[in-house]
Amino acid sequence: MTSTTQRAELQAQIWKIANDVRGSIDGWDFKQYVLGTLFYRFISENFSGYIEADEISVNYAELPDTVITDEIRDDAIKTKGYFIYPSQLFFNIAKNANDNENLNTDLAAIFSAIEGSANGYPSEVDIKGLFADFDTTSNRLGNTVTDKNSRLAAVLKGVEGISFGAFQENQIDLFGDAYEFLISNYAANAGKSGGEFFTPQSVSKLIAQIAMHKQSTVNKIYDPAAGSGSLLLQAKKHFDAHIIEDGFWGQEINHTTYNLARMNMFLHNINYDKFNIALGNTLIDPQFGDDKPFDAIVSNPPYSVKWIGTDDPTLINDDRFAPAGVLAPKSKADFAFVLHALSYLSSKGRAAIVCFPGIFYRGGAERKIRKYLIDNNYIETVISLAPNLFFGTSIAVNILVLSKHKSDNKTQFIDASGVGFFKKVTNNNVLTESHIESIINTFDSKEDVEYVAISMDSDAIAENDYNLSVSSYVEAKDIREKIDITVLNAEIKATVAKIDQLRTDIEKIVEEISGA
């Protein structure tokens, strides 16, 4: 079975499970149970594989809990970050799920025990609260214990029935792809903002490649609005070509999405000591200030979200915002995220940020921030993408590329919004591998390409009132049909002559008929 076929089969099965068990429950809420169960199965099999260490004679799931010594437990937690007893493994709970009258309370106790196993260890902050959104006592599962257990059993048995062998025997990305597939489908069907909850993999891949471009090693990669972690994970998929020394860092304001991001790290086999995801508001309570700078920054911050801005006069003195001399508008925090990323960026790195196009041409504070960025030569490239790439919005977004190591004072503008830069799939457009490669090649060469790319001196941008809209610099190709007026007039003249001749012939026929 090819990877494409396996991926499609896996995605179809997971989607079927989600639809079979959710009933009348809102899918966006209920996805937590499906995703949580998938995660539970993964860490169970992953942990079993670690304990068994390829010893055919050892089957961890069949061992009694009593054989586990304190030394075994301690070593496992230090390595994996958590501990799961044999009786707590997904396999052992799922096989008797339909007959377990205490299923909901048993699961709650197991999840609490897994999280609690990290208490006092370096992994505590990375494990704590991972199952917080998997509430086995919630009325969303049903009004009675029987109803709750029935739904929980359906999810467990459904996930148990996914037949692709042990995780370690497959391409681990298949599971991650299915995980992201489920998020993307729920985001689309629930009418949620795709930009807020999910960045499509094709866009994530492009952003990650830009941020990592020509950096053979980076100290760490960071996302100040991490979401489910998809942008960070795209960098992981390029691990063979790039060395990420200190791992993956991010901050996320939404508690549920914060948990998803941490789960997603584990699902992609990133150990607890290789990621650091924090919960909180990046703009007013930024984390990792002592850990900057970062060699690679990727982000898809929420579009034009409100923030406290000038209502907090101390922010103008913040190291992130003070250099620009002005704060982003209270109703549009886009440039606050941009300035935050710039502040965290190293002198050798790049930041690639998805941006709402309005920030590139509006006046007021946003113009002043653009002036600061251009005058200090921080903007390497602005890329205009095709519309309808994101779930829940048809906006044609831009990618802003920041750099502190430019060798000239030019800013590159790339128009990648045309027909040759996307493929229409169902209701959305997507970037194929060839589209991504074409954009990266254009970005890398910095050569002017008619109708596609041009590099402008900062003086020219200043003369244009610091407008950074791609359409202001890259001439759009005229795809209208060209008409030769001389030829057209000749064709019209010939047509008129034919019509006149036809009228004459008809009149003769009528006269002959009348005379007869």
Side-chain angles (χ1 to χ4, degrees):
M1 183 185 295
T2 65
S3 61
T4 301
T5 303
Q6 190 174 15
R7 182 182 294 109
E9 183 178 310
L10 180 61
Q11 290 175 347
Q13 177 64 9
I14 291 175
W15 187 240
K16 180 178 183 300
I17 294 168
N19 283 307
D20 284 348
V21 301
R22 74 182 184 185
S24 60
I25 299 173
D26 175 44
W28 184 250
D29 291 329
F30 195 72
K31 81 178 188 316
Q32 297 306 125
Y33 295 99
V34 179
L35 295 176
T37 304
L38 291 169
F39 177 67
Y40 177 34
R41 174 178 169 177
F42 170 78
I43 63 171
S44 292
E45 294 191 13
N46 186 275
F47 189 82
S48 295
Y50 162 74
I51 295 293
E52 292 165 4
D54 297 325
E55 288 289 339
I56 299 176
S57 61
V58 178
N59 187 331
Y60 185 64
E62 294 181 354
L63 296 178
D65 292 355
T66 53
V67 305
I68 306 300
T69 65
D70 289 342
E71 183 180 7
I72 292 174
R73 186 176 184 276
D74 182 66
D75 287 343
I77 298 173
K78 288 177 179 176
T79 302
K80 299 298 294 180
Y82 58 91
F83 192 86
I84 307 177
Y85 282 98
S87 65
Q88 298 171 333
L89 292 170
F90 170 86
F91 172 79
N92 285 328
I93 299 301
K95 68 180 179 181
N96 299 316
N98 288 329
D99 302 316
N100 187 350
E101 296 180 355
N102 301 311
L103 182 61
N104 68 325
T105 54
D106 284 352
L107 283 173
I110 289 170
F111 296 156
S112 177
I114 294 173
E115 292 182 12
S117 67
N119 290 346
Y121 289 85
S123 60
E124 180 176 354
V125 68
D126 299 305
I127 304 297
K128 185 177 181 180
L130 274 176
F131 291 98
D133 295 300
F134 200 124
D135 185 357
T136 63
T137 63
S138 172
N139 287 333
R140 287 183 295 173
L141 290 167
N143 294 323
T144 67
V145 172
T146 300
D147 290 339
K148 292 180 175 64
N149 288 340
S150 176
R151 285 192 180 278
L152 288 169
V155 178
L156 289 168
K157 299 303 287 188
V159 171
E160 181 189 38
I162 298 175
S163 55
F164 52 90
F167 288 100
Q168 286 72 22
E169 296 172 3
N170 288 268
Q171 301 177 50
I172 194 65
D173 269 355
L174 286 179
F175 191 91
D177 289 343
Y179 178 89
E180 294 176 10
F181 164 83
L182 188 52
I183 296 175
S184 68
N185 275 275
Y186 271 124
N189 286 286
K192 304 292 184 180
S193 166
E196 179 180 353
F197 292 109
F198 182 74
T199 305
Q201 290 190 48
S202 62
V203 179
S204 297
K205 184 177 296 185
L206 172 62
I207 293 170
Q209 288 190 27
I210 290 174
M212 303 281 285
H213 187 61
K214 287 188 174 178
Q215 297 195 75
S216 58
T217 64
V218 298
N219 61 354
K220 42 192 177 277
I221 186 166
Y222 168 64
D223 186 344
S228 63
S230 60
L231 281 167
L232 293 172
L233 291 168
Q234 281 298 333
K236 195 267 183 185
K237 293 184 179 181
H238 297 285
F239 210 92
D240 290 341
H242 306 81
I243 297 175
I244 304 174
E245 296 169 344
D246 297 322
F248 307 81
W249 301 60
Q251 185 166 350
E252 171 58 33
I253 191 172
N254 181 283
H255 192 277
T256 295
T257 317
Y258 157 72
N259 283 338
L260 292 180
R262 291 188 298 158
M263 286 184 183
N264 222 351
M265 294 295 126
F266 283 109
L267 291 172
H268 282 77
N269 239 11
I270 299 174
N271 209 33
Y272 76 91
D273 58 348
K274 280 296 183 181
F275 74 83
N276 197 337
I277 309 294
L279 176 66
N281 187 324
T282 298
L283 298 183
I284 63 174
D285 184 25
Q287 304 297 303
F288 313 129
D290 294 335
D291 300 293
K292 63 181 184 181
F294 296 86
D295 289 342
I297 297 177
V298 292
S299 192
N300 175 20
Y303 308 148
S304 299
V305 69
K306 294 179 181 179
W307 76 307
I308 192 169
T310 53
D311 285 347
D312 181 354
T314 65
L315 284 174
I316 195 60
N317 299 316
D318 190 301
D319 290 344
R320 300 169 297 164
F321 311 127
V326 66
L327 297 173
K330 291 190 296 182
S331 60
K332 303 175 181 68
D334 308 70
F335 266 129
F337 283 102
V338 170
L339 291 175
H340 171 88
L342 180 67
S343 174
Y344 276 47
L345 184 63
S346 75
S347 60
K348 71 180 279 285
R350 280 193 181 89
I353 307 168
V354 179
C355 294
F356 180 78
I359 71 170
F360 293 111
Y361 59 79
R362 291 192 294 243
E366 291 177 318
R367 178 196 175 279
K368 293 179 181 178
I369 295 173
R370 294 197 302 272
K371 181 179 186 301
Y372 162 73
L373 295 172
I374 290 296
D375 288 350
N376 288 275
N377 207 27
Y378 288 138
I379 299 182
E380 181 175 359
T381 304
V382 181
I383 305 172
S384 175
L385 296 181
N388 212 31
L389 289 172
F390 288 76
F391 296 100
T393 179
S394 60
I395 296 172
V397 302
N398 291 350
I399 298 176
L400 176 65
V401 185
L402 302 176
S403 171
K404 294 181 179 178
H405 62 271
K406 291 170 61 180
S407 59
D408 57 33
N409 66 344
K410 292 179 178 291
T411 295
Q412 181 188 39
F413 296 89
I414 299 176
D415 185 355
S417 63
V419 174
F421 288 98
F422 69 89
K423 176 183 179 181
K424 185 172 180 57
V425 177
T426 61
N427 295 324
N428 284 88
N429 295 325
V430 298
L431 301 176
T432 66
E433 291 290 342
S434 62
H435 297 141
I436 294 172
E437 182 180 0
S438 178
I439 295 171
I440 291 294
N441 289 340
T442 304
F443 169 75
D444 176 63
S445 73
K446 295 296 187 290
E447 295 180 359
D448 291 351
V449 180
E450 189 177 22
Y451 307 126
V452 174
I454 191 170
S455 293
M456 304 295 296
D457 288 327
S458 58
D459 290 344
I461 297 173
E463 290 176 6
N464 196 26
D465 202 30
Y466 294 97
N467 188 322
L468 296 177
S469 296
V470 172
S471 60
S472 295
Y473 304 98
V474 180
E475 180 185 1
K477 186 175 183 179
D478 188 351
I479 59 175
R480 295 174 298 177
E481 181 182 0
K482 290 181 173 59
I483 299 175
D484 188 321
I485 298 300
T486 302
V487 173
L488 179 62
N489 286 335
E491 290 176 350
I492 293 174
K493 184 176 180 180
T495 300
V496 170
K498 289 180 181 179
I499 293 173
D500 289 342
Q501 182 62 49
L502 181 61
R503 285 174 176 168
T504 299
D505 293 343
I506 292 174
E507 288 175 356
K508 287 181 179 180
I509 293 173
V510 171
E511 289 177 359
E512 292 175 356
I513 294 174
S514 298

